[in-house]
Amino acid sequence: MAVYPIVIAQQKFTHQDSLRYPFEERGLQFGDGIYEVIRIYGGKYYLLTEHLDRLFRSAEAIKIDLAISKEKLSQLLLKLLEKNNMEKDGKVYLQATRGSAPRDHAFPKDVPANMYAYVQDLPRQLDKLKHGVSAITTPDVRWENCYIKSLNLLPNVLAKQEAKEQGCYEAILHRGELVTECSSSNIYLVKDGEIHTHPATNRILYGCVRLRVEAFAKALSIPFYEEGFHKENIYDADEMFLSSSTSEVMPIVSVDGKQIKDGIPGPITRKLQQAYEKDAEIIDNKIASST
Ligand code: PDD
């Protein structure tokens, strides 16, 4: 998808062609930075506050001074959509790094953070949302601080590639027997009318959509247990689904080549998808109307 022409770089609006980054950049050389992917529906942000809260939590965790307030950044991001006349479904990618400086592992002194953000179209994946996707399982070999949305994504990249090579949409990660999350989404298991997912500890990224899924479950009186589940529980689950800003509430209908229950999205997943569409104020292109 093409990037919309106007981007934010160092708190200013500029044309994407005028962006220049030196090779000696902490994000490039060390993955020394953080990011967010923020969903847009009909030209409006979904969960902007939640994403900004997480961005600032990540920045604090790795001691990057973003040198901007949440309010100011929020205004800039809103303006970014306006300046690009963005009225479709899309996403903003925002990245902040510890800045540009001669390569040295230790933090550079008095170097400002680099921050940029750009907009792209992202149509909803209606076909997948309706029929579900398949996944593989693979060991979670990441570090202990997965609650930080860090640029260090190599284990995630390798896991996703493994899934892709097996014709699957996602890779479900597990530490020992305990399922943590997916390579770029959170994961849930439904059994006997109850939702199970990993607790929001340092071992997973606390998804903005996960926050909403928990609220939807509460509103729908569906028990939501944050105690995690084991890999072996997957194969006799009633339903499985994942969530993220780009995947929304996505049904998983087969794992490791084995069908989940009847191999079709289950009723609880559907209810959560409907709750999501309502919450995100999605008017056209609904899952139900795509049949
Ligand atoms: N990924 N877990 C991981 C490891 C993720 O990378 C993501 C998001 C999530 C879900 O977070 P949220 O609900 O806030 O989107 C969970 C984004 C979409 C990405 O890296 O592209």
Side-chain angles (χ1 to χ4, degrees), residues 102-119:
R103 187 176 183 278
D104 179 14
H105 284 65
F107 297 177
K109 249 187 162 303
D110 304 323
V111 169
N114 285 333
M115 192 193 298
Y116 67 80
Y118 60 84
V119 194

Side-chain angles (χ1 to χ4, degrees), residues 35 37 54 149 181 183-186 205 207-209 244-246:
Y35 75 104
V37 177
R54 189 172 61 194
K149 201 156 173 58
E181 58 177 336
S183 74
S184 64
S185 52
N186 294 116
L205 185 79
C208 297
V209 180
S244 83
S245 300
T246 47

Side-chain angles (χ1 to χ4, degrees), residues 231-248:
K231 193 182 143 187
E232 65 181 30
N233 301 135
I234 293 177
Y235 311 112
D236 65 4
D238 294 333
E239 301 176 36
M240 296 286 304
F241 65 93
L242 58 84
S243 77
S244 83
S245 300
T246 47
S247 295
E248 307 184 1

Side-chain angles (χ1 to χ4, degrees), residues 54 129 169-170 181-182 184-188 197 205-214 216 224 240-252 272 276:
R54 189 172 61 194
L129 287 166
Y169 182 80
E170 245 306 14
E181 58 177 336
C182 294
S184 64
S185 52
N186 294 116
I187 181 117
Y188 314 77
T197 194
L205 185 79
Y206 195 3
C208 297
V209 180
R210 184 190 187 281
L211 260 174
R212 298 308 299 148
V213 166
E214 190 175 351
F216 302 154
F224 187 91
M240 296 286 304
F241 65 93
L242 58 84
S243 77
S244 83
S245 300
T246 47
S247 295
E248 307 184 1
V249 174
M250 180 67 81
I252 301 175
L272 295 170
Y276 181 97

